[in-house]
Amino acid sequence: MDQRPIGVFDSGLGGLTAVHSLWRILPEEDLIYFGDTARVPYGSRSREAILKYARQDVRFLRSFDLKAILIACGTVTTTSLAALQAENDLPMVGVVEPTCRRAVLMTQNKRVGLIATAASVRSGAYEAALRRLDPEVTVFSRACPLFVPLAEAGRIRRGDVVIETVAREYLTPLKNAGVDTLILGCTHYPLLTDVIGDVMGPGVELVSAGEESAFELKRMLKARELRADERRRGETEFYVSDRVEDFERTASLFLQEDLRHTARRIDIERY
């Protein structure tokens, strides 16, 4: 058994979808979550800027005695995972491979949709993984740059005319393409599951990057004998790089727990 915590990071609130899944899938594990809320979104940045930010995020998390890191960010996974793994002697799990494996299992007509940040779509990482897993799959990709700032602003509910209008604009071409499976390739996007599901309809399976990466982490910890004592209840610490009040308000809504006065602000530029 290994009681050391797991580090989780994302550009902002999106990684909370992975935290929510980890609480359910690995409830015994302690988590250290960092949301880079001062520099969100990453998806519109250059590859060089994303790698710089990701290195700082990892250096902060490694100030704790961690046993693994979950990169709960599609943009970082698609642009920087290989470099981060090469630079660190610590197990790291990203979101692309596990999410694509689930999508290939779920699709019946071999028509898979992908929504992600502009950087993730440009990287081609999801498409490459899907075609490697099943060359017969046809991938329909769409960058959705407004989803992250709207999610960060708490515009995630049915009946919100702004998010519903944006969602229809982004998703209608994918629905018309006949996809039966849609990858939510950014961990912010499951915050919009109800709105996305309404646009796509009941015949389309939604695959969450946060949830699938949590299952992948569980498999990795078991294989390396790094699981914590399953009889205990883990704890989570939250850190952000901007105002804690804004983070706590939206995070409390999503996680359905009162997180007031629990998050701490750190100066990420020191790392």
Side-chain angles (χ1 to χ4, degrees):
M1 291 182 290
D2 191 326
Q3 304 301 123
R4 291 178 297 166
I6 297 162
V8 183
F9 77 91
D10 181 53
S11 60
L13 285 162
L16 294 176
T17 62
V19 169
H20 192 257
S21 294
L22 287 168
W23 283 356
R24 175 170 50 85
I25 296 164
L26 289 167
E28 70 276 8
E29 300 290 351
D30 290 335
L31 308 177
I32 308 291
Y33 180 80
F34 174 63
D36 193 4
T37 50
R39 302 186 295 199
V40 65
Y42 283 7
S44 58
R45 314 278 185 172
S46 67
R47 181 181 289 266
E48 293 75 21
I50 295 165
L51 179 57
K52 174 189 173 184
Y53 294 169
R55 283 170 169 157
Q56 290 177 306
D57 300 345
V58 169
R59 281 196 288 270
F60 165 66
L61 286 176
R62 295 211 66 175
S63 66
F64 300 88
D65 181 22
L66 302 178
K67 62 184 177 184
I69 289 179
L70 172 57
I71 301 175
C73 178
T75 299
V76 172
T77 301
T78 56
T79 62
S80 308
L81 177 59
L84 295 173
Q85 289 174 325
E87 295 166 0
N88 291 272
D89 58 345
L90 191 68
M92 289 188 180
V93 171
V95 300
V96 174
E97 286 288 337
T99 305
C100 290
R101 281 200 299 270
R102 170 58 62 178
V104 167
L105 287 173
M106 296 300 294
T107 183
Q108 298 296 310
N109 68 2
K110 307 289 187 178
R111 300 172 75 84
V112 174
L114 164 70
I115 54 174
T117 66
S120 290
V121 171
R122 282 196 306 269
S123 76
Y126 278 101
E127 292 91 333
L130 286 165
R131 293 195 175 103
R132 186 170 60 251
L133 291 164
D134 187 345
E136 295 182 2
V137 164
T138 301
V139 185
F140 301 85
S141 302
R142 190 77 192 262
C144 302
L146 292 178
F147 274 177
V148 170
L150 285 171
E152 290 281 330
R155 309 295 292 267
I156 61 177
R157 299 285 186 255
R158 284 186 174 116
D160 185 315
V161 66
V162 174
I163 189 59
E164 288 187 342
T165 301
V166 170
R168 283 194 298 271
E169 177 74 19
Y170 286 153
L171 300 174
T172 298
L174 298 177
K175 182 177 181 179
N176 291 342
V179 303
D180 72 347
T181 303
L182 180 66
I183 292 175
L184 310 185
C186 169
T187 49
H188 281 77
Y189 295 177
L191 296 168
L192 307 169
T193 293
D194 290 343
V195 174
I196 292 171
D198 287 347
V199 175
M200 297 305 295
V204 178
E205 295 284 348
L206 306 183
V207 181
S208 164
E211 183 175 44
E212 297 308 322
S213 60
F215 279 118
E216 179 73 5
L217 180 65
K218 181 177 182 178
R219 288 189 289 268
M220 185 273 290
L221 293 177
K222 183 177 180 180
R224 300 188 183 211
E225 299 183 344
L226 293 174
R227 292 281 300 274
D229 185 345
E230 295 182 43
R231 296 169 295 182
R232 68 187 296 272
R233 169 64 71 172
E235 298 181 350
T236 303
E237 297 179 22
F238 297 96
Y239 296 86
V240 294
S241 53
D242 206 350
R243 284 171 44 88
V244 297
E245 296 85 359
D246 296 339
F247 170 83
E248 289 173 341
R249 182 171 57 253
T250 306
S252 294
L253 285 173
F254 176 67
L255 294 175
Q256 298 181 333
E257 288 200 10
D258 186 355
L259 297 182
R260 285 177 299 177
H261 312 301
T262 61
R264 280 170 272 187
R265 182 178 180 180
I266 61 106
D267 181 5
I268 192 61
E269 296 293 351
R270 291 177 47 226
Y271 295 89

